[in-house]
Short mmCIF file of all heavy atoms in Angstrom, two decimals:
data_model
loop_
_atom_site.label_atom_id
_atom_site.label_comp_id
_atom_site.label_asym_id
_atom_site.label_seq_id
_atom_site.Cartn_x
_atom_site.Cartn_y
_atom_site.Cartn_z
N CYS C 1037 -162.90 -151.06 -123.67
CA CYS C 1037 -164.09 -150.20 -123.63
C CYS C 1037 -163.67 -148.74 -123.58
O CYS C 1037 -162.88 -148.34 -122.73
CB CYS C 1037 -164.95 -150.52 -122.42
SG CYS C 1037 -165.73 -152.12 -122.59
N GLY C 1038 -164.20 -147.97 -124.50
CA GLY C 1038 -163.79 -146.57 -124.59
C GLY C 1038 -164.77 -145.64 -123.88
O GLY C 1038 -165.75 -146.09 -123.29
N PRO C 1039 -164.49 -144.36 -123.94
CA PRO C 1039 -165.29 -143.39 -123.18
C PRO C 1039 -166.63 -143.05 -123.81
O PRO C 1039 -166.82 -143.23 -125.01
CB PRO C 1039 -164.39 -142.15 -123.18
CG PRO C 1039 -163.61 -142.25 -124.44
CD PRO C 1039 -163.41 -143.71 -124.69
N THR C 1040 -167.51 -142.56 -122.97
CA THR C 1040 -168.76 -141.97 -123.44
C THR C 1040 -168.44 -140.51 -123.73
O THR C 1040 -167.91 -139.81 -122.87
CB THR C 1040 -169.83 -142.07 -122.34
OG1 THR C 1040 -169.90 -143.44 -121.93
CG2 THR C 1040 -171.19 -141.63 -122.83
N HIS C 1046 -161.57 -136.96 -118.53
CA HIS C 1046 -160.78 -136.61 -117.34
C HIS C 1046 -159.61 -137.58 -117.20
O HIS C 1046 -159.54 -138.58 -117.93
CB HIS C 1046 -161.66 -136.53 -116.09
CG HIS C 1046 -162.35 -137.80 -115.67
ND1 HIS C 1046 -161.66 -138.88 -115.18
CD2 HIS C 1046 -163.66 -138.14 -115.66
CE1 HIS C 1046 -162.52 -139.84 -114.87
NE2 HIS C 1046 -163.75 -139.42 -115.16
N GLY C 1048 -158.93 -139.72 -115.06
CA GLY C 1048 -159.32 -141.09 -114.71
C GLY C 1048 -159.58 -141.90 -115.97
O GLY C 1048 -159.13 -143.04 -116.10
N ASN C 1049 -160.26 -141.30 -116.93
CA ASN C 1049 -160.51 -141.99 -118.21
C ASN C 1049 -159.20 -142.26 -118.95
O ASN C 1049 -159.11 -143.20 -119.74
CB ASN C 1049 -161.38 -141.14 -119.15
CG ASN C 1049 -162.73 -140.79 -118.58
OD1 ASN C 1049 -163.14 -139.64 -118.63
ND2 ASN C 1049 -163.42 -141.77 -118.03
N ARG C 1051 -156.49 -143.21 -117.63
CA ARG C 1051 -155.71 -144.32 -117.07
C ARG C 1051 -155.84 -145.59 -117.92
O ARG C 1051 -154.81 -146.15 -118.32
CB ARG C 1051 -156.09 -144.57 -115.60
CG ARG C 1051 -155.11 -145.54 -114.94
CD ARG C 1051 -155.26 -145.68 -113.44
NE ARG C 1051 -154.14 -146.46 -112.92
CZ ARG C 1051 -154.04 -146.99 -111.72
NH1 ARG C 1051 -155.01 -146.79 -110.84
NH2 ARG C 1051 -153.00 -147.69 -111.35
N PRO C 1052 -157.07 -146.08 -118.19
CA PRO C 1052 -157.13 -147.28 -119.05
C PRO C 1052 -156.50 -147.05 -120.43
O PRO C 1052 -155.89 -147.96 -120.99
CB PRO C 1052 -158.62 -147.59 -119.17
CG PRO C 1052 -159.34 -146.38 -118.70
CD PRO C 1052 -158.41 -145.67 -117.76
N TRP C 1217 -176.49 -149.93 -123.39
CA TRP C 1217 -175.04 -149.74 -123.47
C TRP C 1217 -174.29 -151.07 -123.65
O TRP C 1217 -173.37 -151.17 -124.48
CB TRP C 1217 -174.59 -149.01 -122.19
CG TRP C 1217 -173.13 -148.89 -121.97
CD1 TRP C 1217 -172.16 -148.68 -122.91
CD2 TRP C 1217 -172.46 -148.97 -120.70
NE1 TRP C 1217 -170.92 -148.59 -122.30
CE2 TRP C 1217 -171.08 -148.77 -120.95
CE3 TRP C 1217 -172.88 -149.16 -119.38
CZ2 TRP C 1217 -170.14 -148.78 -119.92
CZ3 TRP C 1217 -171.93 -149.16 -118.36
CH2 TRP C 1217 -170.59 -148.97 -118.63
N GLY C 1238 -160.83 -152.82 -119.47
CA GLY C 1238 -161.46 -151.56 -119.11
C GLY C 1238 -161.18 -151.26 -117.65
O GLY C 1238 -160.47 -152.02 -116.97
N GLY C 1239 -161.76 -150.20 -117.15
CA GLY C 1239 -161.59 -149.87 -115.74
C GLY C 1239 -162.40 -150.82 -114.87
O GLY C 1239 -163.35 -151.44 -115.34
N GLU C 1240 -162.03 -150.92 -113.58
CA GLU C 1240 -162.65 -151.96 -112.75
C GLU C 1240 -164.13 -151.69 -112.45
O GLU C 1240 -164.86 -152.61 -112.09
CB GLU C 1240 -161.87 -152.18 -111.45
CG GLU C 1240 -161.91 -151.01 -110.51
CD GLU C 1240 -161.08 -151.25 -109.25
OE1 GLU C 1240 -160.37 -152.26 -109.16
OE2 GLU C 1240 -161.14 -150.39 -108.36
N ASP C 1241 -164.58 -150.46 -112.66
CA ASP C 1241 -166.02 -150.20 -112.49
C ASP C 1241 -166.84 -150.88 -113.59
O ASP C 1241 -168.06 -150.97 -113.48
CB ASP C 1241 -166.31 -148.69 -112.48
CG ASP C 1241 -165.70 -147.96 -113.67
OD1 ASP C 1241 -164.73 -148.48 -114.26
OD2 ASP C 1241 -166.20 -146.87 -114.02
N LEU C 1242 -166.17 -151.36 -114.62
CA LEU C 1242 -166.91 -152.00 -115.71
C LEU C 1242 -167.14 -153.49 -115.50
O LEU C 1242 -167.92 -154.11 -116.22
CB LEU C 1242 -166.18 -151.79 -117.05
CG LEU C 1242 -165.95 -150.34 -117.48
CD1 LEU C 1242 -165.40 -150.29 -118.90
CD2 LEU C 1242 -167.25 -149.53 -117.42
N ASN C 1269 -158.15 -152.12 -114.92
CA ASN C 1269 -157.28 -151.21 -114.16
C ASN C 1269 -158.03 -150.68 -112.95
O ASN C 1269 -159.25 -150.54 -112.97
CB ASN C 1269 -156.82 -150.04 -115.04
CG ASN C 1269 -157.95 -149.15 -115.51
OD1 ASN C 1269 -158.57 -149.43 -116.53
ND2 ASN C 1269 -158.24 -148.08 -114.77
N ALA C 1270 -157.24 -150.41 -111.89
CA ALA C 1270 -157.83 -149.82 -110.68
C ALA C 1270 -158.08 -148.33 -110.93
O ALA C 1270 -157.65 -147.78 -111.94
CB ALA C 1270 -156.89 -150.02 -109.50
N PHE C 1271 -158.72 -147.71 -109.98
CA PHE C 1271 -159.11 -146.31 -110.18
C PHE C 1271 -157.97 -145.33 -109.98
O PHE C 1271 -157.05 -145.57 -109.20
CB PHE C 1271 -160.21 -145.92 -109.18
CG PHE C 1271 -161.51 -146.60 -109.44
CD1 PHE C 1271 -162.32 -147.02 -108.40
CD2 PHE C 1271 -161.94 -146.81 -110.74
CE1 PHE C 1271 -163.52 -147.65 -108.64
CE2 PHE C 1271 -163.14 -147.43 -111.00
CZ PHE C 1271 -163.93 -147.85 -109.94
N LEU C 1272 -158.11 -144.24 -110.67
CA LEU C 1272 -157.33 -143.06 -110.34
C LEU C 1272 -158.19 -142.30 -109.33
O LEU C 1272 -159.36 -142.01 -109.62
CB LEU C 1272 -157.10 -142.21 -111.59
CG LEU C 1272 -156.32 -140.94 -111.28
CD1 LEU C 1272 -154.85 -141.27 -111.08
CD2 LEU C 1272 -156.47 -139.93 -112.38
N LYS C 1278 -162.67 -142.20 -105.92
CA LYS C 1278 -162.62 -142.34 -107.38
C LYS C 1278 -162.87 -141.00 -108.07
O LYS C 1278 -163.82 -140.30 -107.73
CB LYS C 1278 -163.69 -143.34 -107.84
CG LYS C 1278 -163.69 -143.55 -109.34
CD LYS C 1278 -164.95 -144.24 -109.84
CE LYS C 1278 -164.94 -144.25 -111.37
NZ LYS C 1278 -166.23 -144.59 -111.95
N MET C 1279 -161.97 -140.66 -108.98
CA MET C 1279 -162.20 -139.45 -109.77
C MET C 1279 -163.35 -139.73 -110.73
O MET C 1279 -163.34 -140.73 -111.44
CB MET C 1279 -160.93 -139.10 -110.54
CG MET C 1279 -161.08 -137.83 -111.35
SD MET C 1279 -159.56 -137.36 -112.20
CE MET C 1279 -158.54 -136.78 -110.86
P1 LIG D 1402 -166.75 -143.88 -119.04
O1 LIG D 1402 -166.65 -142.74 -120.00
O2 LIG D 1402 -167.23 -143.48 -117.67
O3 LIG D 1402 -167.52 -145.05 -119.60
O4 LIG D 1402 -165.28 -144.41 -118.77
C1 LIG D 1402 -164.36 -144.77 -119.78
C2 LIG D 1402 -163.28 -145.62 -119.18
O5 LIG D 1402 -162.60 -144.91 -118.12
C3 LIG D 1402 -163.78 -146.91 -118.53
O6 LIG D 1402 -162.85 -147.97 -118.81
C4 LIG D 1402 -163.78 -146.59 -117.05
O7 LIG D 1402 -163.66 -147.74 -116.27
C5 LIG D 1402 -162.55 -145.72 -116.94
N1 LIG D 1402 -162.56 -144.84 -115.77
C6 LIG D 1402 -163.48 -143.90 -115.45
N2 LIG D 1402 -163.13 -143.26 -114.28
C7 LIG D 1402 -161.95 -143.81 -113.88
C8 LIG D 1402 -161.07 -143.55 -112.77
N3 LIG D 1402 -161.31 -142.62 -111.85
N4 LIG D 1402 -159.95 -144.29 -112.69
C9 LIG D 1402 -159.66 -145.23 -113.62
N5 LIG D 1402 -160.44 -145.52 -114.68
C10 LIG D 1402 -161.58 -144.81 -114.83
#
Side-chain angles (χ1 to χ4, degrees):
C1037 290
T1040 307
H1046 63 68
N1049 301 132
R1051 191 171 189 193
W1217 171 37
E1240 68 182 6
D1241 51 337
L1242 301 188
N1269 64 274
F1271 291 143
L1272 178 76
K1278 180 195 173 194
M1279 182 177 287

